[in-house]
Amino acid sequence: MSILSGKNVLLGISAGIAAYKTASLVRLFVKAGADVKVVMSPASIGFVTPLTLSTLSKNPVVSSFYNEEDESAVWNSHVELGLWADLLIIAPATANTMSKMANGTCDNLLLATYLSAKCPVYFAPAMDLDMFKHPSTSQSFKTLQSFGNIMIPATSGELASGLVGEGRMAEPEDIVAFIENHILGNLPLYGKKVMITAGPTYEAIDPVRFIGNHSSGKMGFELAKTAANLGAEVTLISGPTNQSLQHGLVKIVPVVSAQDMYNQAHLFFKDSDVVICAAAVADYKPKEVATQKIKKDDSTLTLKLEKTKDVLASLGAIKTNQFLVGFALETNNELEHAKGKLKRKNLDLIVLNSLNDKGAGFKADTNKITLIDTEEHITEFNLKSKAVVAQDIFNEILNQLHA
Ligand code: CTP
């Protein structure tokens, strides 16, 4: 999944021949999962049709403040468009449009939208080589960048005039990759590796039976999604669950037993910066696993169980600079038990769930947590969706990493 997934992308098209490439650009943004709207300068309509762009974006395409042929038509609000956008990309950005942007000229809907937009603004210049070299164009680049607008550099090559030089708009694939990388590079966990354990473990009794638990894996999967959306490269070691997650930054490592989870966790631990053990690992497993299906010959059956390895505690014992987070699910003396686990397992933070709180725990979509750090600072949260709980947990992790 692209970091652009779910984002509102507003594409502003000005009148250059490279406008013909915006059909591909819209298609790529849509493919990345973005919701795309297009605003065109009036002259750009000569280069690419609004019908093509509205078909590809599945949204109406606007180029003037109102529809002159239809008096009852609604006013196209530049303010609304500007507020809707999570990012605005002007491509192609012609010398004329850039000069107007730099000077606050506002004589069409595209420019009014630019002036109203509060989101990050990218621009991809495109023009002939001599226009590109003109000092006034260089001045526009400088002024726009001084506003905080981000330039996606033009490339060199054959231009529409037949001349060869600088001024070709970056290719649509490169524009999308540039924006994705730029967003990622500014995210707080960019460059960090996060490992998360999730779900239950299944401990085999015989080839068809196991000891398991009701963990849904939801909390761990929400944590993985949140970490990836913050820019981290995530390894999600998950026991058997029905959860699914497709994200370019998340690698899922499926495991079955506590021993599998232990092995995989130790494989990825050394390279990790942040580790969260959210899995409900079985505490015991059958001492012997029957090689054949156990027949119901006797009226009772006794299974001898032995302890599994505690993944979290084993990581705490070898931890160097990793920030280690554990969960504690308690029914009584919750704070004392959680503080005890924090110390015993050598954690940096523990997330306490109390089974006495309605809506907290295994199967629910919600959770109610209390965070305890090594200074014994206690932060209690209200009942929230697991997605929001995951954000609360990462807000605290980010605070502690930057403290
Ligand atoms: N955990 C683990 N491996 C285990 C058992 C637990 O990694 N074999 C982790 C869980 O993922 C969780 C934390 O340890 O982050 C708390 O587990 P919990 O079972 O609540 O605590 P225990 O230390 O096992 O203590 P008890 O069961 O006695 O409450």
Side-chain angles (χ1 to χ4, degrees), residues 324-379:
L324 187 58
V325 184
F327 273 71
L329 182 63
E330 306 292 343
T331 54
N332 62 311
N333 276 345
E334 292 98 327
L335 281 177
E336 288 323 302
H337 281 137
K339 283 183 199 169
K341 275 178 199 172
L342 179 83
K343 281 209 181 83
R344 211 167 53 246
K345 301 195 185 189
N346 193 23
L347 311 180
D348 297 289
L349 187 70
I350 192 152
V351 184
L352 165 65
N353 303 132
S354 168
L355 270 190
N356 296 323
D357 288 322
K358 263 201 168 157
F362 269 11
K363 278 186 172 167
D365 285 328
T366 52
N367 207 353
K368 185 171 180 333
I369 61 159
T370 302
L371 295 180
I372 308 166
D373 68 14
T374 48
E375 313 264 282
E376 299 209 345
H377 290 135
I378 297 171
T379 319

Side-chain angles (χ1 to χ4, degrees), residues 4 6-10 81-88 118-122 183:
L4 290 170
K7 291 234 180 329
N8 291 340
V9 173
L10 182 58
L81 270 177
L83 290 177
W84 172 85
D86 292 319
L87 66 94
L88 169 61
K118 291 184 179 162
C119 60
V121 177
Y122 298 83
I183 295 174

Side-chain angles (χ1 to χ4, degrees), residues 48-79:
V48 58
T49 75
L51 180 62
T52 304
L53 299 167
S54 60
T55 308
L56 291 170
S57 66
K58 301 185 184 76
N59 275 315
V61 170
V62 288
S63 57
S64 68
F65 289 97
Y66 56 91
N67 184 345
E68 281 166 29
E69 280 146 31
D70 179 2
E71 278 180 12
S72 64
V74 286
W75 162 260
N76 292 322
S77 168
H78 53 285
V79 178

